[in-house]
Amino acid sequence: MTNKYIFETRDFMRVIIAGAGEVGFHLAKLLANEKHDIVLIDIDQEKLKTASNQLDVVTVKGYSISYKALQDSNVSDSDLFIAVTSSEETNIATAIIAKQLGAKKTIARVNNVEFISTRQQFDIKKLGIDEIISPETLASREIKRLLKEIVLTDSIDFDNGKLSLIGITLDERSILIGKSQAETSHLNPNNDFLTVSILREQKTLIPRGSTVFELGDHVYFIAEPEGLERVLNLSGKKRIEVKNVMILGGGKIGQNAARKLSSIYNVKLIEENRDKCIELAGQLDDVLVLNTDGRNFDELKSEGVGDTDAFIAVTGNSEMNIISCLMAKQHGAKKTICLVENMNYIHLSQMIGVDTMINKKLLAANFIFRYIRQGTVVTFKSIPGVDVEILEFEIKENSKITSAPLKDLNFPKSAIVGGVIRNNNGYTVMGNFRFQPGDRVVVISKPECIRTIEEFFNEV
């Protein structure tokens, strides 16, 4: 997944964010770690106070569409204006006005999936908007991606699978439990996978040789294609072919996900509103739409929830989504995916047994963040609930990282090189590996360490 940047490289940018909700706050946090000049606009003084207390940002109280608020934020000097309030009409109008007042680039968050799908029919840049994003569309794409390997909690492919980052929860079947990385090295004779991060009781670890695997660890590996099967075997997991999918919730995400998945899987969509069901049945030809109350688990059992390969809960109620996923798992569903609106639930859902959590606000913030990455980053990803970022760099001529073998580069302890793609092949790397111009390098890093990591890939 290659990202084309819309900004020239520089030490910092001036970014204005309209909306201090969860999307705006998370985005401001990511940018503050990068030492950019951040201004946050919102009408809610409490949200601004929270942001000001926790982040190095300037706050402006007022409606983002207000000329005075935009003037107070010095919009004419901004490199990027991002409108992520809860109102898509406000976001569109604010982005247009900001552009007219001098903002170099603008991004607007919208919720209307139809608006995204028809964007090619008109030129939004003529309106003054450089990019639009839909959290609902991003969530639907994420669901489709997560179903590729249902025994994994997460899977991110680099260069069409030449390297993959995979997440697995260790249970009693894994032979890794109780052993350190050093002690298990003989189980990886071809060095075709590498442990790059462990989520343990809400704490994210960058593992070293002495790190011991524990029951319940949520472990992330970088693997070559051959190493993927080895990791599954060591973890006591077996591949499962996905055939049947059940989606709870007929809102925008559920409808869009059902449409994307129905060409691949047998899809049942559960919606409690009868009129909505009739509407969805007319729009989704290859989806079985059922008028059932998702809170009544006896009804879900009668519809075959225990026989489904993947149960996906995407109603607007986070608590209902979590509980229904837990019940589906208990009754035989092989994988559960849960939409959680409240970011505070992210760790909770993973600790209590939900396989994979998605948060559309977090997806939106990370999507925007990709547009303002500096240097030679070509991919940026986050894993919900895990305090690391996954970055893919392309090495240029005379980059610092080519000056010595990896073991001699003094690479930060808060980051780890997961692997490299060279000459169309993927490799995990050891300490004696030497990088070359043109290599694509996958790095897993704590957020506060990203700027330091980037310096290794800048040209000397």
Side-chain angles (χ1 to χ4, degrees), residues 388-440:
V388 293
E389 314 295 356
I390 301 100
L391 305 102
E392 182 183 2
F393 295 87
E394 183 174 353
I395 299 179
K396 304 300 183 183
E397 293 286 346
N398 302 317
S399 295
K400 179 181 177 181
I401 199 166
T402 64
S403 63
L406 176 59
K407 63 183 179 180
D408 298 328
L409 287 172
N410 196 27
F411 212 70
K413 297 294 185 183
S414 296
I416 187 169
V417 174
V420 64
I421 297 170
R422 174 184 293 174
N423 298 328
N424 218 30
N425 292 306
Y427 308 94
T428 55
V429 298
M430 300 294 110
N432 59 355
F433 188 88
R434 190 148 193 164
F435 299 96
Q436 300 175 2
D439 286 349
R440 300 275 286 271

Side-chain angles (χ1 to χ4, degrees), residues 140-156:
S140 301
R141 291 178 190 167
E142 187 77 353
I143 289 168
K144 183 178 180 181
R145 182 182 68 80
L146 290 168
L147 290 182
K148 288 176 60 179
E149 288 281 359
I150 66 171
V151 297
L152 307 176
T153 59
D154 215 303
S155 176
I156 300 171

Side-chain angles (χ1 to χ4, degrees), residues 262-276:
S262 60
S263 62
I264 311 171
Y265 312 114
N266 300 318
V267 178
K268 291 181 180 180
L269 179 61
I270 308 295
E271 170 57 45
E272 64 176 332
N273 184 289
R274 180 175 176 79
D275 292 337
K276 182 69 173 177

Side-chain angles (χ1 to χ4, degrees), residues 222-268:
I222 291 285
E224 300 172 20
E226 298 78 11
L228 176 57
E229 199 66 41
R230 196 186 307 274
V231 171
L232 291 175
N233 290 335
L234 293 175
S235 304
K237 309 289 185 182
K238 293 183 179 180
R239 275 198 165 105
I240 300 171
E241 182 183 1
V242 180
K243 295 180 179 178
N244 303 309
V245 175
M246 182 177 287
I247 301 173
L248 178 63
K252 293 175 182 176
I253 296 177
Q255 180 179 352
N256 206 25
R259 183 177 288 110
K260 288 178 180 294
L261 299 176
S262 60
S263 62
I264 311 171
Y265 312 114
N266 300 318
V267 178
K268 291 181 180 180

